[in-house]
Amino acid sequence: PGLTILSPSSGRELCSMLTWALKQNSPVAIRYPRGVTVPCFDPEPLPADEPVRSLEVRTGRDCVILAVGNMVDAALASAELLQPEIDCSVVDIRSVKPLDEELILRLARLTRHVITIEDNVLAGGFGSSILELLSSERGIVIHRIGYPDEFIPQGPIPHLWDEYGLTPESIAQTIRQTVLGGMQVLAAEGE
């Protein structure tokens, strides 16, 4: 197997992934953001002979939010802000490479609206991988949320998220425009 790239959403996932990575016979990269996390003394065991799978942490019917690493909490908060107007599934994409294609395809086909969220530059990032994966699927609306392909200044994380639309409120607004805008287009076509 080739390179595996993992992105934990918590300190506990980081511990689990480190333990899993040490048992592999191929290269593993673990991408985690700067900042502080809660120490973990009881990592969830991940089967060493299986790839790390994504977790659907919230089930919904209108769209699926595919969140990477520290954006999982923001995705969950956004989904709560949108309830009951828009019912969102949220997936903790624990492995950026290889992708959990089966889960992603199933949820994309079910909801027809896919939102990717990453604390990363969009060009060549996780969202680009999702665009490639879903390129042959018809009728699925994909919207990527992340940083533009430009120099991102240093600063406090909350300030950067506010500046670049990565707060739960900004994410919820983008999802609202994507999902409801798409529904309005479908309604207009059906008239």
Side-chain angles (χ1 to χ4, degrees):
L3 171 67
T4 298
I5 302 173
L6 304 176
S7 187
S9 64
S10 67
R12 184 171 186 190
E13 276 193 359
L14 175 59
C15 290
S16 298
M17 289 175 183
L18 282 169
T19 303
W20 181 88
L22 291 171
K23 297 175 185 172
Q24 302 307 302
N25 291 321
S26 59
V28 177
I30 300 176
R31 181 187 184 276
Y32 57 94
R34 66 185 172 108
V36 177
T37 187
V38 177
C40 174
F41 302 104
D42 62 336
E44 171 194 351
L46 298 170
D49 57 340
E50 296 178 18
V52 175
R53 303 269 182 223
S54 297
L55 294 175
E56 186 176 5
V57 294
R58 187 178 196 285
T59 303
R61 67 181 182 284
D62 298 324
C63 78
V64 59
I65 305 170
L66 306 175
V68 176
N70 60 346
M71 297 311 304
V72 172
D73 287 340
L76 285 166
S78 300
E80 287 301 317
L81 290 172
L82 290 165
Q83 243 347 82
E85 180 183 16
I86 300 171
D87 189 24
C88 300
S89 288
V90 176
V91 178
D92 178 356
I93 299 291
R94 303 190 305 171
S95 176
V96 177
K97 182 179 180 182
L99 289 173
D100 191 345
E101 292 183 6
E102 183 180 320
L103 176 67
I104 294 167
L105 284 167
R106 180 177 59 79
L107 292 172
R109 290 171 180 155
L110 179 70
T111 66
R112 313 306 288 174
H113 287 88
V114 176
I115 310 296
T116 68
I117 307 174
E118 58 191 302
D119 185 10
N120 192 23
V121 174
L122 291 172
F126 165 70
S128 296
S129 299
I130 296 302
L131 285 173
E132 284 182 27
L133 175 64
L134 299 176
S135 65
S136 63
E137 298 290 319
R138 296 199 175 272
I140 295 177
V141 176
I142 303 167
H143 189 92
R144 302 175 305 145
I145 300 172
Y147 296 111
D149 191 14
E150 61 187 44
F151 176 76
I152 305 299
Q154 291 293 312
I157 293 171
H159 174 76
L160 293 175
W161 286 2
D162 187 50
E163 179 77 20
Y164 291 97
L166 293 168
T167 63
E169 296 78 14
S170 296
I171 293 167
Q173 184 58 30
T174 298
I175 292 170
R176 188 175 286 112
Q177 291 169 348
T178 302
V179 173
L180 296 181
M183 287 180 180
Q184 291 169 354
V185 169
L186 292 175
E189 289 174 357
E191 294 176 349

